[in-house]
Amino acid sequence: MTRLLPEGALRRTSAIAAAVLALAVAGCADMGATASSPKMQTAESLGLTAAPAAQAAPALDSQWWLAFGDPQLNAMVDQAIAGNPSLQVALARLARAQASVTYTEAADKPQLNGGLDLTRQKFSDNYIYPPPLGGSVQESGNLQLSGSWEIDFFGKNRTALDAALGTANAAAAEADAARVLLSSNVARSYVQWARLNDRMVVAQRALAQREELLKLVRDRVSAGLDTRLQLKQSESSVPEARQQIEALNEQIAIAQHALDALVAKPGATQALTPPRLGNFKNLALQQSIPADLLGRRADIAAARWRVEAATSDVANARTQFYPNVNLIAFAGFQSIGFDSLLKSGSQQWGVGPAIRLPIFEGGRLRANLRGKSADLDAAIDSYNVTVIDAVRDVADQLSSVLYVARQQVQQKEAQDAAEAAYDIGLQRYSAGLGNYLDVLTAEVTVLAQRRDGVDLAARALENQVGLARALGGGWQPSDTTTAAAAPAPRHP
């Protein structure tokens, strides 16, 4: 369309546009001081150093739970990832953020619109239209194709796109973090179910033990070697053991319901074989805090991308102080009377630049910039909190792995001694060399040690699950994210 303008008109239009642009840039509103103060934590600032080669462990697989060697657990994790509503919410947020990127990209491209207006109106007698048009009722039509293209001299569209990309990358990392958390929750709940099943074995063994002891006491009472006091004490211990079994049945049912909810399938655990702790294999996990921890965790990556998005938002807020430059063109037909709308004489067209500059806006732009800068500060502080919590999380899990293993060694020795003491006490009582109180005392100790052994075995497995999660769950950045060390915020 520009070729329809005379060459001199083009030169005059360009000169006017350049002069107005120069005046606009010179007269931009004062942005004020909005520098951000927080600094992002880095691996170096946290004192994370590379572990010695002797402590290195194989890289954590994204399906780390497979190493436990339990096909039922593998199937449940797969079901949870496929159908858990909480994870679907995170994926929906990701889809929304990705759509926002496409929407923002469109602002940097030429826009083309078509329109048709057909109007019947009465023209005023006392306006710019003289008779016979003035005072008459006429039909008018406007058929027009219009286009515009915003020339992004100052990066407004680019920074808006950067912000949208940062938000989309954060949403992708958050979806990955939700996936890691979900898989670890399924594994931990499955281990808890196995712990309760092992506790049930201990409780059933205790019931059988007490029933045998009751039979022995009855025989001794019949022989005149014990009194009815010992008999009543022994009789009361049997229903107590049965009550403990029923309490465990309740806990097992609740644990199964929790697993059913995680996989979003009521009754899913009913068809499974109750797991046992002894069937799990150990995971090979790193025994120190890795120097590249900040690049292994999806939640840290999400927080980093939030900082990137907030940084771009600040840059975009600054561009609002500069002029908007658009190239606008239109072509079409306009006429009085519908029958003349498409005639050659009804043609119209126009082309030229449009410049908009904020001169006085009541402080709105500066307030917006201060708000975006505050959002950036909050994003950086949130990132730092996430990083510090992640380091503490790994340190806690490593400590638990170490000390629970030491507790298991001591507990094993204590249980062996308690089992031996109980056997001796029972033998002495059967032979009439000991009293019933000694047997009861030994029984209380041995049952407590058996329960402790089950609980520590479950804690050891739970700590492996927790450490796998804390180390990132084998997360790897997707095509839209990066695992590089946290970048310093770019203050525009």
Side-chain angles (χ1 to χ4, degrees):
M1 292 183 181
T2 56
R3 288 179 294 181
L4 298 175
L5 285 175
E7 185 176 349
L10 280 175
R11 284 198 298 270
R12 287 192 298 274
T13 301
S14 300
I16 292 172
V20 173
L21 182 59
L23 179 62
V25 173
C28 284
D30 180 22
M31 299 181 192
T34 55
S36 178
S37 54
K39 303 297 181 185
M40 294 175 68
Q41 294 278 8
T42 63
E44 292 75 15
S45 67
L46 294 168
L48 301 182
T49 57
Q55 297 181 6
L60 189 62
D61 190 87
S62 60
Q63 293 182 305
W64 49 267
W65 56 87
L66 297 178
F68 280 130
D70 190 316
Q72 290 187 156
L73 172 60
N74 302 340
M76 296 208 76
V77 174
D78 291 342
Q79 289 179 34
I81 291 176
N84 185 272
S86 297
L87 182 56
Q88 299 307 313
V89 170
L91 295 176
R93 289 175 181 153
L94 172 58
R96 176 67 181 86
Q98 290 172 336
S100 180
V101 171
T102 304
Y103 178 86
T104 307
E105 281 179 325
D108 208 31
K109 298 175 181 177
Q111 308 295 311
L112 189 64
N113 299 287
L116 173 62
D117 297 314
L118 300 176
T119 307
R120 181 175 177 81
Q121 71 177 90
K122 181 181 183 301
F123 289 89
S124 171
D125 285 329
N126 303 311
Y127 192 47
I128 61 173
Y129 308 108
L133 183 58
S136 66
V137 175
Q138 300 288 340
E139 295 169 337
S140 62
N142 185 23
L143 176 61
Q144 184 168 288
L145 187 66
S146 60
S148 65
W149 181 25
E150 183 176 353
I151 304 174
D152 197 20
F153 282 121
F154 304 104
K156 183 182 74 170
N157 296 337
R158 176 182 55 78
T159 52
L161 179 59
D162 288 344
L165 285 171
T167 301
N169 287 335
E174 286 169 351
D176 290 339
R179 192 177 291 109
V180 170
L181 180 61
L182 177 60
S183 61
S184 65
N185 283 342
V186 172
R188 193 176 72 244
S189 297
Y190 191 80
V191 168
Q192 274 299 309
W193 185 23
R195 179 186 74 86
L196 293 171
N197 290 329
D198 277 23
R199 286 283 296 269
M200 178 63 76
V201 172
V202 172
Q204 290 171 341
R205 182 180 174 186
L207 175 61
Q209 191 171 288
R210 289 180 177 182
E211 288 175 339
E212 291 177 3
L213 184 59
L214 175 59
K215 183 177 181 299
L216 175 61
V217 172
R218 283 172 175 166
D219 291 343
R220 286 175 59 86
V221 170
S222 298
L225 300 175
D226 273 333
T227 67
R228 290 182 59 82
L229 174 62
Q230 283 82 17
L231 178 60
K232 290 300 180 184
Q233 287 177 323
S234 183
E235 287 176 343
S236 68
S237 67
V238 173
E240 179 189 1
R242 289 176 179 150
Q243 180 269 328
Q244 291 175 355
I245 288 175
E246 293 305 322
L248 284 170
N249 280 329
E250 176 193 6
Q251 295 176 43
I252 288 172
I254 292 173
Q256 289 183 260
H257 298 162
L259 267 171
D260 292 343
L262 285 171
V263 301
K265 186 178 179 182
T269 55
Q270 296 300 319
L272 302 181
T273 301
R276 299 289 303 278
L277 295 175
N279 296 334
F280 287 84
K281 298 177 182 178
N282 289 321
L283 302 181
L285 297 169
Q286 183 153 348
Q287 299 301 309
S288 62
I289 302 179
D292 61 343
L293 175 65
L294 306 191
R296 290 190 182 193
R297 291 184 47 137
D299 57 342
I300 294 179
R304 184 170 65 245
W305 279 114
R306 293 293 177 194
V307 173
E308 290 294 299
T311 301
S312 297
D313 275 337
V314 171
N316 183 261
R318 291 181 181 277
T319 64
Q320 305 298 321
F321 290 84
Y322 296 105
N324 248 353
V325 182
N326 285 272
L327 183 62
I328 298 176
F330 67 89
F333 299 89
Q334 189 175 48
S335 70
I336 299 294
F338 295 157
D339 56 342
S340 302
L341 180 60
L342 298 179
K343 293 181 178 180
S344 60
S346 299
Q347 292 179 3
Q348 62 169 351
W349 57 265
V351 62
I355 300 176
R356 300 290 183 271
L357 170 69
I359 296 176
F360 178 75
E361 29 67 42
R364 178 178 57 86
L365 296 181
R366 282 190 293 275
N368 180 57
L369 179 56
R370 286 197 302 271
K372 296 299 183 182
S373 296
D375 289 343
L376 174 57
D377 291 348
I380 294 175
D381 287 330
S382 295
Y383 171 84
N384 290 338
V385 169
T386 302
V387 167
I388 292 171
D389 285 348
V391 174
R392 179 196 56 78
D393 188 14
V394 177
D396 287 350
Q397 298 299 333
L398 287 172
S399 296
S400 294
V401 168
L402 172 64
Y403 291 112
V404 167
R406 292 180 180 179
Q407 290 177 62
Q408 284 183 290
V409 173
Q410 301 302 320
Q411 186 277 328
K412 179 66 169 58
E413 294 180 4
Q415 182 173 340
D416 290 344
E419 296 278 3
Y422 176 76
D423 290 341
I424 293 172
L426 186 60
Q427 291 171 9
R428 286 174 56 83
Y429 177 68
S430 300
L433 301 176
N435 58 49
Y436 185 69
L437 181 60
D438 292 337
V439 176
L440 289 180
T441 302
E443 183 196 42
V444 169
T445 302
V446 76
L447 290 177
Q449 287 299 326
R450 289 171 185 170
R451 287 192 291 266
D452 286 349
V454 171
D455 291 344
L456 284 173
R459 280 197 63 196
L461 289 170
E462 284 187 327
N463 290 338
Q464 293 180 42
V465 173
L467 182 55
R469 175 196 53 75
L471 291 172
W475 174 76
Q476 293 293 330
S478 64
D479 293 338
T480 57
T481 58
T482 177
R490 301 188 307 271
H491 299 296

